[in-house]
Amino acid sequence: MRPLSHLDETDCIARAQRGEVAAFSELVARYQERIYRFLLRLTRSQEDARELAQETFLNAYQALPRWRADARLSTWLFRIARNQALDRLRRARHVAFVPLDEVLAEQLPADAPTPEAALQARQRVAALEAALAQLPVEHREILLLRDIENLPYEDIAEVLGIRLGTVKSRIARARAGLLQHMPR
């Protein structure tokens, strides 16, 4: 079987909608890392994030024949993932996020900073994480989607099911709230 990585997303989606398993596998390969990272930050559990990512793609596979290109596939997948995570968090009655220092540690270059600079960075990340933990869930998730996943405002509106103006005002309120909780 020929690899489908050369196909553009539209062709890959069309083939997957017709039942080509390899085409859907290609879509999973393209999005699994972003969806997993998002879920990991929301749930703070690698096991939950893995399970939720699998559930996300399983639900997407089942719904794909009925999916219409009203929004981008990535937006649709993030919305499924978000709904899966929020359902699980509601059932568990807790909302926690992955410590940002773990996320940043994975992204740091091999040439590490001095011990003092590393300590200062860890302290800044810990302060940011503590401030994030004090925000309401709706503010945390919107900051994750915008500032960590770099989704455009339009996609965030689609993922959260809110209007574009609401996205902009909620991001502004979330950032203001974050600043209020940051140590001076």
Side-chain angles (χ1 to χ4, degrees):
M1 186 182 327
R2 208 174 80 196
L4 301 176
S5 58
H6 69 282
L7 291 178
D8 72 2
E9 185 171 281
T10 306
D11 291 337
C12 219
I13 292 168
R15 286 178 175 212
Q17 285 181 312
R18 289 191 302 265
E20 272 190 47
V21 176
F24 185 76
S25 294
E26 176 62 28
L27 293 172
V28 170
R30 291 179 186 186
Y31 289 104
Q32 68 185 354
E33 187 61 34
R34 286 182 69 196
I35 296 297
Y36 172 77
R37 279 193 327 258
F38 176 70
L39 290 166
L40 181 61
R41 289 181 186 115
L42 277 176
T43 64
R44 197 176 181 177
S45 164
Q46 290 181 348
E47 183 178 327
D48 286 347
R50 276 193 298 271
E51 286 177 18
L52 289 168
Q54 287 177 348
E55 290 173 24
T56 296
F57 288 108
L58 178 61
N59 288 344
Y61 182 75
Q62 292 169 342
L64 191 61
R66 298 180 309 278
W67 180 75
R68 291 173 296 151
D70 297 347
R72 292 194 327 221
L73 183 69
S74 61
T75 303
W76 183 60
L77 291 171
F78 272 110
R79 186 174 191 134
I80 295 171
R82 172 189 181 257
N83 291 340
Q84 294 285 339
L86 290 181
D87 285 348
R88 177 155 310 174
L89 292 171
R90 276 188 213 109
R91 284 192 307 268
R93 295 211 180 266
H94 75 282
V95 176
F97 294 86
V98 171
L100 290 177
D101 57 348
E102 290 177 19
V103 174
L104 294 176
E106 295 172 3
Q107 298 173 355
L108 288 177
D111 54 333
T114 65
E116 297 82 19
L119 175 62
Q120 288 176 346
R122 280 195 305 275
Q123 289 172 337
R124 283 192 305 273
V125 167
L128 179 59
E129 184 179 309
L132 271 172
Q134 295 178 41
L135 294 178
V137 173
E138 69 182 16
H139 288 173
R140 281 184 275 190
E141 73 182 352
I142 206 159
L143 289 177
L144 283 173
L145 290 170
R146 179 64 189 152
D147 296 331
I148 303 296
E149 291 301 327
N150 297 315
L151 288 183
Y153 292 137
E154 295 80 10
D155 289 357
I156 294 171
E158 183 68 29
V159 168
L160 300 180
I162 57 179
R163 293 189 319 203
L164 185 60
T166 305
V167 169
K168 292 176 182 178
S169 63
R170 195 176 288 175
I171 287 173
R173 284 194 307 272
R175 287 177 177 159
L178 188 65
L179 287 175
Q180 286 179 349
H181 293 295
M182 290 295 291
R184 308 218 181 253

